[in-house]
Amino acid sequence: MFGFFKSKKKPERQLTHPSELKVDDMLTVIDSFAYPSWLKGQTLKVTDVQTYQYQHSAEYEFVLESESGNVAFLQIEREDGEEFANFSIKIQRSDVDAIFTLDEFARIFDEDGLTQIKVANKPEKFERFLANTYQQSEAPYVCYYHEKDYRNLSLPRYQDESGEPCEVIHLESEDENHSINIEIWDGGETEVSLTISRPINDIVDLFPGNNA
């Protein structure tokens, strides 16, 4: 009798797709030279899930941390029946100057049309995240950032005060495998991210965490 009740143990949560990841879950990236050494073949932990809300859609971003303390960001993109894992890293003003020069980068903000910029240098730690040139793909647009996972919740109304507004400028490489995201927040604070777009099956393992 007692053995019967013991057998009713709650089954461990199963992960079948990266889009199901929650805080404390982990993923393993394929061991490929497409990635820098601190990312390839590594297992990373999800430390947060954030929401970017657009007028008619939303994107969810997983904050990942490696065992060595490196931080990356992951968004799952679906386009024309294919899925991609978009890994991003944030860079500082000094990195922007080292990669593009500040004068070259400033053309994005100074020119009226869609700007193309060139990479001047590829520092080793950013090399895998960089193309040679980038083209601005559309005019700047506004989104609302929520420090909350809204995947299973109703999104607030667009332009609701619960979200933090930011203006986004997006540039892509010709092959669309690399991109730059510039986020301009209220008060003028600017964040720059480099992104590499890879096949979704580069995520080779998923592990449920303590929330299983």
Side-chain angles (χ1 to χ4, degrees):
M1 175 178 176
F2 294 106
F4 172 79
F5 285 106
K6 285 182 181 179
S7 70
K8 303 291 281 187
K9 180 181 176 182
K10 183 180 178 181
E12 183 176 336
R13 176 171 146 257
Q14 299 293 314
L15 289 170
T16 60
H17 192 277
S19 63
E20 301 168 354
L21 287 163
K22 296 181 180 179
V23 172
D24 287 336
D25 292 343
M26 294 180 287
L27 62 83
T28 301
V29 178
I30 195 171
D31 188 352
S32 164
F33 287 109
Y35 296 95
S37 58
W38 63 266
L39 187 53
K40 69 172 185 172
Q42 298 298 305
T43 297
L44 302 99
K45 185 176 182 177
V46 179
T47 61
D48 202 1
V49 183
Q50 304 165 154
T51 303
Y52 284 85
Q53 184 182 7
Y54 307 97
Q55 189 165 8
H56 301 294
S57 64
E59 291 178 348
Y60 303 97
E61 183 172 78
F62 304 95
V63 184
L64 308 175
E65 186 172 345
S66 71
E67 192 173 351
S68 59
N70 287 291
V71 175
F73 304 86
L74 169 67
Q75 289 190 358
I76 308 300
E77 179 185 2
R78 296 175 177 87
E79 184 177 352
D80 298 330
E82 294 186 85
E83 290 186 308
F84 301 92
N86 294 338
F87 290 96
S88 301
I89 54 172
K90 291 184 179 179
I91 60 173
Q92 304 302 313
R93 179 184 173 89
S94 58
D95 301 322
V96 171
D97 192 25
I99 295 167
F100 303 98
T101 77
L102 292 178
D103 286 343
E104 176 75 356
F105 203 74
R107 292 176 48 238
I108 300 169
F109 309 96
D110 295 340
E111 297 180 359
D112 293 332
L114 300 180
T115 307
Q116 183 181 77
I117 62 170
K118 295 181 180 180
V119 169
N121 300 290
K122 291 186 177 180
E124 184 178 354
K125 65 179 178 177
F126 301 126
E127 186 177 6
R128 297 291 187 263
F129 279 86
L130 289 168
N132 294 320
T133 60
Y134 293 86
Q135 174 71 48
Q136 188 177 343
S137 56
E138 56 189 313
Y141 56 90
V142 173
C143 74
Y144 287 81
Y145 167 77
H146 303 275
E147 197 171 344
K148 184 175 181 179
D149 180 2
Y150 274 99
R151 283 175 297 175
N152 296 312
L153 301 171
S154 296
L155 284 163
R157 285 187 311 166
Y158 186 65
Q159 297 182 328
D160 189 285
E161 290 183 359
S162 65
E164 187 176 353
C166 75
E167 184 177 65
V168 180
I169 301 174
H170 184 75
L171 300 94
E172 288 185 346
S173 61
E174 186 175 0
D175 61 9
E176 300 183 354
N177 290 333
H178 298 82
S179 58
I180 304 168
N181 251 38
I182 305 167
E183 298 174 356
I184 306 167
W185 301 88
D186 276 359
E189 181 186 353
T190 301
E191 293 184 348
V192 179
S193 299
L194 304 176
T195 300
I196 182 171
S197 184
R198 297 288 304 169
I200 193 71
N201 57 12
D202 274 14
I203 298 174
V204 292
D205 274 310
L206 300 167
F207 307 98
N210 297 329
N211 54 30

